[in-house]
């Protein structure tokens, strides 16, 4: 997390590498860097722990968080525990996590805690409650808060406001990875006209830090926007080699294979994998709803 006007150089910032690896999706490296960081203050220790536990959650290791964070932990860590519960549970448990988050945010000083607010944004984004994302992060103190606000505006189709957030981030630190990622997200949101520009950003980050699943998926998305489905398939196969069960990669692979007119049985295998790894994934829910509609109409026609 970068403080506006107080951006530290990597040599002075003990969490720079951990933070950077987390942003680009190298979660195991983020955990290793966080564990090796020599923290000298309670504030840095809190940021390190939040970063480390968020990386575990992104890897699907929510149990680590649930076992190690408890009711006596600092507020930001309790928010991380709620995020772990939210991501690894059914609908009832998700709503319980949201309710717990609302209680946490009502505590004195909560909305001025940037670590807590960024974690809260992850849960609210899962709920598609982008107004709450903006509400909790509107007084952004850190670069990551600006990034989550940018993401919320993109999801709300307010590209004009997203661009203003990116401009703010560029004034704070134009070279920061979070700034580049936010800029690329806005470029992609503009469609095929700016897909090549977004592609160059993700390609540059991949060459600089190594391709992660996150970067490869975004490269694939850019290629699909440009109609380059063969290249997108290569990106996605590389991403699958890193994590064969990643839901985002599997969903993108299904879309790509459909455009490439792959055999139905090939596509069906990806659908099965996605159902298994993430039965509540938005793509699966839409697919199932369409199947039910088709079956309903088919039954009506057969009468």
């Amino acid at each position: 997390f970068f403080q506006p006007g107080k951006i530290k150089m990597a040599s002075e910032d003990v969490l720079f590498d951990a933070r950077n690896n987390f942003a680009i999706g190298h979660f195991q490296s983020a955990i290793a860097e966080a564990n090796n960081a020599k923290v000298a203050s309670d504030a840095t220790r809190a940021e390190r722990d939040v970063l480390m536990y968020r990386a575990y959650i992104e890897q699907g290791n929510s149990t680590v968080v649930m076992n190690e964070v408890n009711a006596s932990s600092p507020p930001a860590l309790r928010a991380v525990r709620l995020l772990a519960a939210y991501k690894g549970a059914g609908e009832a448990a998700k709503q319980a996590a949201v309710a717990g988050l609302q209680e946490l945010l009502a505590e004195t000083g909560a909305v001025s805690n940037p670590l807590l607010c960024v974690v809260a944004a992850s849960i609210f984004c899962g709920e598609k409650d982008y107004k709450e994302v903006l509400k909790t992060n509107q007084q952004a103190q850190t670069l990551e808060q600006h990034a989550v606000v940018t993401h919320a505006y993109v999801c709300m189709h307010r590209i004009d406001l997203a661009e203003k957030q990116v401009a703010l981030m560029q004034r704070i630190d134009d070279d920061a990875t979070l700034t580049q990622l936010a800029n690329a997200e806005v470029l992609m949101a503009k469609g095929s006209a700016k897909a090549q520009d977004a592609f160059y950003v993700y390609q540059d980050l991949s060459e600089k830090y190594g391709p992660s699943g996150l970067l490869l998926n975004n490269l694939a998305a850019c290629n699909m926007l440009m109609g380059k489905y063969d290249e997108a398939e290569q990106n996605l196969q590389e991403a699958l080699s890193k994590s064969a069960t990643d839901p985002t990669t599997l969903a993108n692979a299904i879309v790509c294979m459909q455009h490439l007119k792959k055999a139905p049985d090939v596509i069906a295998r990806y659908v099965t994998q996605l159902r298994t790894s993430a039965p509540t994934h938005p793509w699966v829910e839409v697919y199932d709803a369409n199947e039910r509609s088709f079956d309903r109409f088919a039954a009506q026609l057969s009468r």
Side-chain angles (χ1 to χ4, degrees), residues 162-232:
E163 286 181 308
K164 289 181 180 179
Q165 283 295 313
V166 170
L168 280 172
M169 295 174 73
Q170 289 170 336
R171 287 199 292 273
I172 295 166
D173 188 352
D174 191 27
D175 294 327
T177 298
L178 280 172
T179 301
Q180 295 180 57
L181 288 169
N183 183 42
E185 181 178 11
V186 173
L187 290 169
M188 267 211 299
K190 293 181 177 182
S192 58
K194 293 293 183 179
Q196 186 70 66
D197 293 336
F199 179 89
Y200 288 141
V201 175
Y202 295 125
Q203 186 177 53
D204 181 64
L205 290 171
S206 294
E207 291 173 354
K208 190 174 182 179
Y209 300 113
S212 64
L214 182 151
L215 294 175
L216 288 164
N217 270 281
N218 283 317
L219 284 168
C222 290
N223 274 321
M224 284 193 278
L225 279 171
M226 294 185 288
K228 299 178 180 180
Y229 297 105
D230 288 325
E231 289 88 340

Side-chain angles (χ1 to χ4, degrees), residues 142-162:
T142 67
L143 205 59
E144 190 172 14
Q145 283 186 285
H146 284 294
V148 299
V149 169
T150 302
H151 177 69
Y153 281 137
V154 168
C155 293
M156 296 168 73
H157 306 292
R158 289 303 307 270
I159 307 305
D160 56 328
L161 297 177

